[in-house]
Amino acid sequence: DTEVTQTPKHLVMGMTNKKSLKCEQHMGHRAMYWYKQKAKKPPELMFVYSYEKLSINESVPSRFSPECPNSSLLNLHLHALQPEDSALYLCASRLIGQSGANVLTFGAGSRLTVL
Amino acid sequence: KNQVEQSPQSLIILEGKNCTLQCNYTVSPFSNLRWYKQDTGRGPVSLTIMTFSENTKSNGRYTATLDADTKQSSLHITASQLSDSASYICVVSANYGQNFVFGPGTRLSVLP
């Protein structure tokens, strides 16, 4: 398995809703990432987990809450979002500590629309 | 400051033609450079990865070059197809994979 799987592919939510984005990989990668991407812009780093522990939080608002329940899963919990949070949310992963560790493998993304 | 620049910002070519995309970086310590293709609304897909010691690498119709002295990379696409229409993003890994610096991308449109 050489894929990063993201669900759902599309999500529409109101500003008062609570929803979650999910990411899964079975490549043995121990670093997992959340990126936010607006149209015609490069991805912006949000969070990094290393060995299931949060290692980087790029000053992301608390309405975004990441969770890494195990080495294969990464969640992004969403609550009280704003319309400007509408974007493509990308999950990525990478191997740690071996040859070929310095490359990111991306999922297909979750398109989020906040009404 | 670690930075990746790409040119041109956008490019329109006719089907069957060749094109070259450029990536300049100021990233230290350099680990590797990867070109990704990203279709609209989809995640980036890796095309090639270049390490410090590699000058040229091909993947089908895609050929990437790397000049570590001038800190420049190029992605050459031969015999373009309509399906090549996408954004091409240059990503440089720094600090032994601790940091990934993204370029702004080049938007390629291939017209029939």
Side-chain angles (χ1 to χ4, degrees), chain A residues 11-40:
Chain A
L11 178 62
V12 180
M13 60 186 292
M15 289 189 284
T16 58
N17 291 157
K18 283 186 180 180
K19 298 286 184 183
S20 296
L21 305 181
K22 297 185 184 300
C23 175
E24 189 170 0
Q25 56 86 19
H26 297 285
M27 297 179 282
H29 290 183
R30 302 303 295 275
M32 297 186 76
Y33 300 69
W34 279 116
Y35 285 87
K36 174 183 177 181
Q37 187 178 26
K38 302 287 269 186
K40 299 183 181 180

Side-chain angles (χ1 to χ4, degrees), chain A residues 3 6-7 19 30 34 36 38 43 55 58 74-75 79 83 85 87-88 92 95 102 107-108 111 114:
Chain A
E3 289 188 344
Q6 289 188 243
T7 56
K19 298 286 184 183
R30 302 303 295 275
W34 279 116
K36 174 183 177 181
K38 302 287 269 186
S55 57
E58 290 288 343
L74 183 66
N75 299 320
H79 175 53
D85 295 323
L88 181 68
L95 200 59
N102 300 335
R111 169 66 62 188
V114 182

Side-chain angles (χ1 to χ4, degrees), chain A residues 45-62:
Chain A
L45 183 64
M46 299 176 72
F47 303 104
V48 182
Y49 274 83
S50 296
Y51 296 103
E52 297 86 67
K53 294 194 187 312
L54 184 65
S55 57
I56 296 177
N57 177 343
E58 290 288 343
S59 302
V60 179
S62 59

Side-chain angles (χ1 to χ4, degrees), chain B residues 1 12-13 16 23 41 43 51 58 70 88 95 97 99 102 107 111-112:
Chain B
K1 178 183 176 184
I12 301 175
I13 61 174
C23 173
T51 58
S58 292
T70 61
Y88 291 82
N95 198 20
N99 299 316
F102 286 73
R107 176 70 203 175
L111 303 181

Side-chain angles (χ1 to χ4, degrees), chain A residues 37 42 94 102-104 107-108, chain B residues 31-32 34 36 38 43 49 96-97:
Chain A
Q37 187 178 26
R94 74 175 179 96
N102 300 335
V103 294
L104 289 174
Chain B
S31 182
N32 61 51
R34 203 163 205 186
Y36 288 87
Q38 185 176 25
I49 180 169
Y96 310 105

